[in-house]
Amino acid sequence: MTASMMMIPATGIILLALVIPALILLRYSFNAYDPTQLMVEAFTLDNYTRFFHEPYFQQVMITTLTVSLECTLASLLLGYPVAYFLATTRSRFKSLLIILTIFPLLVGNVVRAAGWMTLFGTKGFINVVLMYLDIIDSPIKMMYTTFSVFVGMLCVILPFMILTLQGVLESIDFSLTEAAENLGASPFTAFRRVILPLSLPGIATGSILVFILCMNAYSTPVLLGGPSFSMMAPALYDQIASASNWPFGAALAFILTLATILATLISSLYFRRKLKAMAA
Amino acid sequence: MTKLIASSFVTAVLAFLVLPVIFIVWVAFFDSSFLTFPPPGYTFHWFAEAARNPVFLNGFVTSLIVVAIASTISVFSGAMAAIVLVRYQFPGREALNGLLLSPLIIPNIVLGIALYIFFIAIADTLSIDLIASNVGLIIAHTMLVLPWAVRLIGANLIGMDRSIEEAACNLGAKSGTVFFRVTLPLMRGGIVAAALFSFIVSFENLELSLLIVSPGHTTLPIAQMQYLEFNMDPTIAAVSTVQILVIAALLLITDRFVKLSRIV
């Protein structure tokens, strides 16, 4: 069997199930929409300009970007110390701790959203406990709020952040901190001037990865945010499934993909400059 | 002192991660038809109830069929591609590698929408309805997990010591014999990791499948999602618990073959 023949099945699958469908979707995004005929063959940019003229969709995009940024930042602040601990510990529980990090990731977003529902509901665990302790008189509304979406998404992305950071931190030679401390640096300075710059590539990769995951989140915002909380992926799904406006839905799909790629590019440029500044 | 603060912080974060999983398992045993804390008692009743529910049962079976076929196809085609990508130098190798990994970069919901309109276009022009059977789901999931197979088997091949194959060649083994008696056994770790990881990624996927399911051909996560939009009760908790057990078993098997922290 020749090498090129061995490439055929895999390449064929991607061409058939990804490249061709994506090209058709791109073509559809230039079509026009008519409420009676649905999609009309055309070549127009109306669907793209509509996105920038409708305050609703701008709001959805702003919500998506805000939630994604907040979650990324929070996951970095919570994840870094955990990753640092996992990378430096000599505990015999290390592999157990890593399994504990990976396991929720593999259980799936829907199941975890269901778990948060049992905690956040009006008759959920948190409200029952708070009322029993007489801290509150009536249940607090936690489901279908920005808070529940934030917590749910943070729980989804945190394992990715921890594992990425841990991978990078593990490759760092920690005897460097000892050298810095021997030369008179305080532990904090040694961390800030030696370990932090060396782990910056991990911070960049982890942040970009989890940001993309947040931008494209579907099940968590739908289940924990409810119908009134709109993010891009659910809005996109609605355009195709409920509104049956394929051209506009197709345009939204490419806007979301582009926004994700653009945000990724900007942040990787930022990190590269920061890395250079730190090296200088 | 700092050590104590550090370990309690780590424990708190990890507890936060497993908290929803623990709660869903706990609720599955509540002896009450709706969610109430504290539970009036405990029962196994909801597992039987969940097993009788045709939507969840069909969802589970559909998921297993789709996942098994998609994983098998992707591991075979991914292994062949990985061998070529790792061992041969040719123009466009990087581009081809990027193409095979591209399902990881494009939002799953966008991939799902693109496939949906593609399948409808096929139904309109060729009168073959891929959505009304499991075929559409299998095509979609094969594409979804292929990058994992290429990546994991490729990583395994990169780390492989080629001097063993050379030794076999020098001792007079034919190229076919070398492949089946030396290379393939050495690839086992990567193949097992690829198969199990494909299985898990495909089994829990929701976004890609959302539009390409039809009545009777719905995956388990979608059945759960549709149920959860209206109810949160011990039945769905029992269904989720079964799913958690399946994943946990697979995770333990995978961990015996490869260090999980290396592949995620």
Side-chain angles (χ1 to χ4, degrees):
Chain A
M1 215 191 304
T2 64
S4 48
M5 270 167 70
M6 286 167 71
M7 286 305 291
I8 291 173
T11 319
I13 291 166
I14 299 295
L15 284 179
L16 174 80
L18 189 142
V19 178
I20 296 172
L23 288 176
I24 299 177
L25 191 70
L26 183 66
R27 177 63 191 87
Y28 280 7
S29 74
F30 299 117
N31 277 346
Y33 174 74
D34 180 275
T36 47
Q37 293 173 274
L38 298 179
M39 192 163 64
V40 184
E41 199 89 357
F43 205 84
T44 163
L45 285 171
D46 282 355
N47 299 305
Y48 290 93
T49 48
R50 181 183 159 197
F51 174 80
F52 294 99
H53 288 129
E54 269 192 44
Y56 171 74
F57 286 104
Q58 281 171 25
Q59 193 51 53
V60 172
M61 185 54 113
I62 290 168
T63 310
T64 312
L65 284 169
T66 319
V67 173
S68 304
L69 272 176
E70 286 169 357
C71 288
T72 306
L73 216 62
S75 75
L76 186 60
L77 291 176
L78 290 179
Y80 197 96
V82 177
Y84 191 90
F85 181 88
L86 287 176
T88 51
T89 186
R90 287 193 194 87
S91 159
R92 59 207 162 88
F93 297 115
K94 184 178 170 178
S95 61
L96 176 76
L97 293 178
I98 290 177
I99 288 189
L100 272 182
T101 316
I102 299 173
F103 181 55
L105 186 89
L106 302 177
V107 161
N109 300 349
V110 180
V111 172
R112 275 181 294 170
W116 289 118
M117 286 168 134
T118 67
L119 281 140
F120 289 153
T122 328
K123 286 177 182 150
F125 185 76
I126 296 176
N127 271 321
V128 169
V129 169
L130 288 180
M131 294 216 312
Y132 177 77
L133 296 173
D134 275 329
I135 295 174
I136 52 168
D137 301 322
S138 56
I140 320 171
K141 185 180 161 60
M142 279 177 286
M143 272 304 285
Y144 308 133
T145 61
T146 317
F147 169 75
S148 55
V149 176
F150 173 79
V151 172
M153 300 244 293
L154 188 58
C155 181
V156 168
I157 62 171
L158 203 46
F160 288 101
M161 183 60 105
I162 294 174
L163 294 168
T164 313
L165 288 173
Q166 186 224 346
V168 173
L169 283 167
E170 238 161 43
S171 64
I172 294 176
D173 181 4
F174 274 85
S175 62
L176 287 172
T177 41
E178 285 162 32
E181 283 173 39
N182 284 344
L183 291 170
S186 69
F188 178 70
T189 313
F191 170 76
R192 195 174 56 89
R193 298 284 297 272
V194 179
I195 302 299
L196 193 62
L198 285 174
S199 60
L200 209 60
I203 296 180
T205 320
S207 306
I208 291 167
L209 173 68
V210 304
F211 183 79
I212 294 175
L213 288 172
C214 291
M215 288 289 290
N216 304 322
Y218 178 85
S219 52
T220 316
V222 168
L223 287 174
L224 298 175
S228 58
F229 190 92
S230 288
M231 282 179 64
M232 279 300 281
L236 179 56
Y237 173 79
D238 283 344
Q239 280 302 316
I240 301 284
S242 317
S244 292
N245 188 340
W246 287 9
F248 187 53
L252 279 182
F254 281 98
I255 290 169
L256 176 65
T257 312
L258 263 167
T260 315
I261 293 172
L262 214 64
T264 313
L265 277 178
I266 292 170
S267 49
S268 59
L269 276 177
Y270 168 81
F271 279 114
R272 200 166 295 161
R273 274 175 63 186
K274 189 117 184 172
L275 201 62
K276 265 194 191 142
M278 271 184 161
Chain B
M1 186 60 201
T2 34
K3 232 180 172 166
L4 190 70
I5 297 175
S7 41
S8 34
F9 183 83
V10 171
T11 315
V13 173
L14 292 182
F16 168 72
L17 290 181
V18 283
L19 193 66
V21 180
I22 292 171
F23 265 78
I24 207 77
V25 175
W26 185 28
V27 169
F29 295 96
F30 279 22
D31 190 6
S32 156
S33 57
F34 52 90
L35 189 66
T36 172
F37 289 101
Y42 293 96
T43 174
F44 282 99
H45 173 76
W46 303 114
F47 288 92
E49 188 76 7
R52 272 198 298 271
N53 185 317
V55 177
F56 289 132
L57 194 62
N58 284 335
F60 195 71
V61 173
T62 305
S63 274
L64 282 183
I65 294 171
V66 169
V67 165
I69 299 176
S71 303
T72 313
I73 300 175
S74 84
V75 167
F76 270 105
S77 44
M80 287 197 277
I83 291 173
V84 177
L85 288 171
V86 170
R87 300 203 158 170
Y88 292 81
Q89 288 295 337
F90 54 93
R93 195 178 67 106
E94 277 303 310
L96 210 50
N97 190 40
L99 180 73
L100 295 189
L101 297 184
S102 60
L104 293 176
I105 317 163
I106 302 169
N108 276 350
I109 191 100
V110 174
L111 292 176
I113 288 172
L115 271 171
Y116 172 67
I117 58 148
F118 178 52
F119 289 157
I120 295 216
I122 289 180
D124 285 348
T125 49
L126 306 173
S127 321
I128 305 169
D129 191 353
L130 294 169
I131 298 175
S133 67
N134 285 338
V135 179
L137 279 172
I138 291 169
I139 294 174
H141 280 238
T142 308
M143 179 266 291
L144 176 77
V145 296
L146 187 67
W148 291 99
V150 174
R151 237 166 90 165
L152 295 174
I153 298 173
N156 177 270
L157 282 166
I158 289 172
M160 197 182 286
D161 183 1
R162 298 203 66 176
S163 58
I164 307 171
E165 289 166 79
E166 283 156 20
C169 269
N170 288 343
L171 292 169
K174 289 198 206 81
S175 62
T177 317
V178 173
F179 180 77
F180 285 105
R181 300 284 295 272
V182 180
T183 317
L184 204 57
L186 284 172
M187 285 171 72
R188 199 185 62 154
I191 290 173
V192 171
L196 289 163
F197 221 74
S198 300
F199 197 97
I200 293 170
V201 168
S202 163
F203 194 78
E204 69 124 344
N205 180 276
L206 174 97
E207 285 89 346
L208 179 69
S209 329
L210 265 178
L211 286 161
I212 43 186
V213 294
S214 53
H217 302 282
T218 299
T219 63
L220 184 63
I222 292 178
Q224 289 171 317
M225 173 99 188
Q226 285 164 350
Y227 190 90
L228 276 172
E229 282 191 76
F230 303 101
N231 317 285
M232 172 64 239
D233 60 23
T235 309
I236 182 79
V239 174
S240 304
T241 304
V242 173
Q243 188 187 338
I244 290 167
L245 288 176
V246 171
I247 302 281
L250 286 174
L251 191 59
L252 289 176
I253 301 170
T254 318
D255 198 50
R256 285 191 46 153
F257 286 95
V258 270
K259 272 269 157 277
L260 279 166
S261 48
R262 301 240 174 277
I263 53 178
V264 182

